Amino acid sequence: MGDSAYSFSLTTFSRTGKLLQIEYALNAVANGRTALGIAATDGVVIATDKKFGSALVEGESVRKVERVTDGSGFVYAGVGPDYRVLVRKARKSAQAYFREYRETKPVGQLVKSTASVMQEYTQSGGVRPFGVSLLVAGMDGDGVPRLFQVDPSGAYFGWKATAIGKGYVNAKNFLEKRYQEDMELEDAIHTALLTLREGFEGEMNGNNIEVGVVSKSDGKFRLLTPEEIQDYLDEAN
């Protein structure tokens, strides 16, 4: 009996020690639009391709970079509706933390609680894993800019720079060549846009790219406006 006999069971390991539904969830992530993040010395940037299959889609109705707390934000690759559920759960968790401690939930704890939710969906009957990987940007309690990745299995990792989604291998290779330990936020934004451009089909502009940044100066996460993104793209040209 091969692994295929276990492919429809989430809670049963195959003979080779795999949970195949999690591997299929990772395939859904790999088919998603490219998203990437870079942690600089004075902030973090996350960015993603928001290109649509039709020019008739109202772009403002779709948000791929989301602010979760005042000092942190998410971006994803994979299944959009699953992402909305995780964002909602993360916001509720952050609000519960604020009610109890009267301070913003540190990004490290936000990542752990979100990863725990995703892990629960890998060992419960009647559910399936979340078909998304997340990149989480924020400032930790020590004031250091942090970038994390959370996978459908519930595993999470800290990164200096990384990419997920379609074309993530080429994007990671590009980041490995361009990343520098002393990189500042402005340079990181330019590098993020250059990396997205490497695998982008068509012309990039302020409306088909989303960028979120958190700066060490004020500790606030915000989305760049299409005009700001276009200015960065014009500078790169």
Side-chain angles (χ1 to χ4, degrees):
M1 186 184 295
D3 279 358
S4 61
Y6 303 90
S7 63
F8 292 105
S9 174
L10 171 61
T11 56
T12 305
F13 284 96
S14 72
R15 290 177 181 272
T16 55
K18 297 177 181 178
L19 290 172
L20 294 178
Q21 285 296 310
I22 294 177
E23 294 197 0
Y24 298 159
L26 288 169
N27 290 341
V29 172
N31 289 329
R33 294 287 186 183
T34 305
L36 58 89
I38 303 173
T41 57
D42 58 343
V44 187
V45 57
I46 51 177
T48 186
D49 166 359
K50 200 178 79 167
K51 188 178 178 184
F52 301 110
S54 170
L56 301 178
V57 175
E58 176 53 66
E60 292 183 3
S61 65
V62 180
R63 293 278 290 275
K64 298 188 69 176
V65 177
E66 294 280 5
R67 186 169 70 96
V68 177
T69 69
D70 286 343
S72 62
F74 287 3
V75 69
Y76 80 100
V79 182
D82 288 10
Y83 173 62
R84 291 201 305 270
V85 172
L86 288 171
V87 168
R88 186 176 69 249
K89 287 180 178 289
R91 285 172 173 163
K92 289 178 70 174
S93 169
Q95 284 298 310
Y97 184 96
F98 182 81
R99 284 200 309 271
E100 185 166 352
Y101 300 106
R102 290 296 160 185
E103 62 181 32
T104 302
K105 191 171 187 176
V107 67
Q109 293 192 37
L110 186 67
V111 166
K112 289 178 183 178
S113 61
T114 303
S116 294
V117 170
M118 296 175 79
Q119 193 278 332
E120 285 177 18
Y121 278 70
T122 69
Q123 61 177 46
S124 303
V127 298
R128 63 164 176 78
F130 288 96
V132 293
S133 284
L134 305 175
L135 294 181
V136 184
M139 307 297 292
D140 226 336
D142 54 6
V144 176
R146 303 285 187 189
L147 173 68
F148 293 93
Q149 176 180 340
V150 189
D151 282 341
S153 64
Y156 62 91
F157 319 89
W159 291 91
K160 297 175 181 176
T162 191
I164 55 177
K166 191 178 295 183
Y168 76 95
V169 174
N170 291 334
K172 273 190 176 181
N173 289 338
F174 188 85
L175 287 170
E176 286 173 1
K177 295 174 184 176
R178 298 295 295 254
Y179 179 81
Q180 296 177 335
E181 294 283 348
D182 60 350
M183 180 179 284
E184 295 184 349
L185 184 57
E186 286 294 305
D187 295 329
I189 294 171
H190 284 292
T191 301
L193 293 174
L194 286 172
T195 306
L196 283 177
R197 178 173 282 168
E198 284 293 299
F200 195 85
E201 297 177 3
E203 183 179 352
M204 279 173 51
N205 58 57
N207 295 313
N208 56 24
I209 296 293
E210 276 194 27
V211 180
V213 297
V214 56
S215 173
K216 194 173 182 178
S217 60
D218 60 6
K220 303 294 184 184
F221 182 88
R222 71 182 186 91
L223 274 70
L224 298 188
T225 65
E227 291 75 22
E228 288 176 306
I229 295 172
Q230 190 60 54
D231 287 342
Y232 280 111
L233 291 172
D234 292 341
E235 287 177 24
N237 292 331

